[in-house]
Amino acid sequence: MPAPPATQHGPNGHAPAAPPQAVWFAMPDISGAALPPLHSVVARPVAQDRWERLVSEVTVPYPVDDVWTALTDPKAVGKWLAKPNGKWAKAGKESILDFEDGEFFLCGTETVTSPSGGRAGTLRYLWRWVGVGPATSVTWEVRDRGPGATTVMVTEEAVNPPSDWRSWNGMGWPGILEQLAAYLRSGTDNRWTWRRMGPYLQVELPLPAFEAWEALTGAGAIKHWLQRSSGSLAVGDPMTVVMGDASGTVRITVTKSVEAAQEFPSYLPYVEFTLARPSWEQELGGRLWVEPAGLGRSLLQVFHHSWEGLRITEPLPERRLLTNFWVLAFRRAQSMFGPPAGAPMGPHGWST
């Protein structure tokens, strides 16, 4: 068996030292923590909400009980405001205030307190225009002002309503109170006749206004929510839209298109258009637009005008048909972005 190799020793009898190792210097900290770049502190919006309130009032020379009956009895309400269907003025119940021209309010009554012993009568409900618009609250207060006199105050409150809400609804409420006063005096029907403007619809979308507009006006999107069969939203390019299996088609022709940041004062996008049906001699005017409704949300809206120019024998069926088309179209637009706010959940997801 061979002997192990002999250990090498230096002159002093010890093993030689290891060769020196290379020294690596530590890299300096240049991550920027000690010197952030300019504009590195970024602000972000947290809330962009508006709460708005409309209050209108009238004093009428009639006893408080008569006024309360006019406000809560369905037959009476049908003569000065709209035709109630369902359980009108019943706490915890829903009803419809039908204007019988295609447009209506879906109402959910919250509070009903009859006037008694000097206490004011109060009727409070939430309502949604044509069942899909943003919910607002309405509170009626009926107060006895002495022998044969009653003050009626109505308050409507909204969060992030359309920008023209104060002018549109604000100018409407005094007229409604005057219709109530006229009914109390005469007992006859004082509702307005069908309107030459409208339908006017709004739905909430869970996207900022500009992002929502881009998502809705693309060629693929309008095939879905507008049910386009030909044409486009380009100016002067007639677009055929399928209203429904039993309703035929309409032709929408954009006459003006404004993109974002182009027009003062809102700088919001919109299109103006005409709408034609095969049975109409003339075209109906329209406008489609979107605007902010709080942080990260928007309102899609459509409005029509110039019904008096159509010269059709029976305009109300056509108006109802068109209103229903836009309701369903706007619901399809909402479905592109998930469940709308407040949509009930069923066993298989949100209800449409």
Side-chain angles (χ1 to χ4, degrees):
M1 186 173 186
T7 302
Q8 301 294 321
H9 296 281
N12 56 1
H14 299 288
Q21 300 293 319
V23 178
W24 294 96
F25 294 97
M27 292 291 293
D29 181 7
I30 55 173
S31 63
L35 186 63
L38 290 175
H39 312 298
S40 60
V41 178
V42 179
R44 63 185 179 89
V46 176
Q48 295 177 351
D49 294 319
R50 289 180 295 117
W51 169 71
E52 298 192 20
R53 180 179 64 168
L54 306 171
V55 183
S56 301
E57 182 182 87
V58 67
T59 297
V60 293
Y62 304 102
V64 67
D65 290 339
D66 291 354
V67 177
W68 182 252
T69 298
L71 179 61
T72 57
D73 179 71
K75 291 183 180 179
V77 173
K79 289 189 175 182
W80 63 269
L81 181 55
K83 180 181 178 182
N85 295 311
K87 299 194 179 293
W88 170 250
K90 302 294 182 183
K93 302 296 183 181
E94 291 186 358
S95 58
I96 296 287
L97 280 177
D98 192 355
F99 294 95
E100 299 182 295
D101 60 2
E103 293 177 283
F104 60 89
F105 278 110
L106 170 67
C107 303
T109 302
E110 295 187 330
T111 303
V112 184
T113 305
S114 302
S116 177
R119 180 187 65 189
T122 301
L123 171 63
R124 183 178 188 274
Y125 50 83
L126 301 179
W127 64 4
R128 291 182 182 271
W129 187 241
V130 295
V132 298
T136 65
S137 70
V138 177
T139 304
W140 293 85
E141 184 179 276
V142 177
R143 188 174 296 276
D144 190 347
R145 290 301 183 190
T150 303
T151 295
V152 183
M153 178 183 291
V154 60
T155 302
E156 185 176 16
E157 297 169 283
V159 177
N160 297 319
S163 59
D164 63 354
W165 187 76
R166 277 174 293 176
S167 57
W168 186 272
N169 289 40
M171 291 188 297
W173 277 116
I176 290 174
L177 289 177
E178 290 173 4
Q179 289 172 201
L180 169 61
Y183 166 74
L184 286 165
R185 180 174 182 177
S186 67
T188 58
D189 193 331
N190 282 277
R191 285 171 50 189
W192 57 61
T193 59
W194 77 279
R195 289 158 293 163
R196 272 62 178 174
M197 297 186 297
Y200 172 38
L201 276 77
Q202 322 111 35
V203 292
E204 297 172 289
L205 301 176
L207 285 177
F210 299 120
E211 186 177 344
W213 187 256
E214 286 299 309
L216 289 170
T217 56
I222 60 175
K223 287 182 180 179
H224 169 64
W225 74 274
L226 273 180
Q227 298 186 153
R228 177 191 68 84
S229 62
S230 63
S232 70
L233 287 176
V235 174
D237 183 20
M239 180 172 65
T240 301
V241 170
V242 178
M243 298 186 75
D245 292 342
S247 308
T249 62
V250 292
R251 187 181 73 247
I252 294 175
T253 304
V254 173
T255 57
K256 182 179 181 180
S257 178
V258 174
E259 296 298 329
Q262 290 188 2
E263 190 171 286
F264 178 84
S266 72
Y267 297 107
L268 293 168
Y270 68 89
V271 295
E272 293 178 354
F273 62 92
T274 60
L275 186 145
R277 293 262 287 159
S279 59
W280 297 355
E281 294 183 15
Q282 302 292 329
E283 297 177 330
L284 193 65
R287 178 186 175 103
L288 179 71
W289 75 102
V290 68
E291 63 180 73
L295 186 62
R297 299 186 304 277
S298 57
L299 283 175
L300 176 65
Q301 300 172 80
V302 69
F303 176 77
H304 285 285
H305 56 86
S306 304
W307 281 91
E308 66 274 15
L310 297 185
R311 298 200 298 271
I312 53 180
T313 306
E314 296 290 340
L316 284 183
E318 294 291 304
R319 200 178 192 282
R320 296 186 189 106
L321 193 69
L322 186 58
T323 303
N324 188 62
F325 163 73
W326 282 116
V327 168
L328 296 178
F330 274 23
R331 290 288 281 155
R332 287 190 295 269
Q334 283 182 315
S335 72
M336 294 172 55
F337 311 112
M345 296 297 292
H348 304 293
W350 63 283
S351 172
T352 58

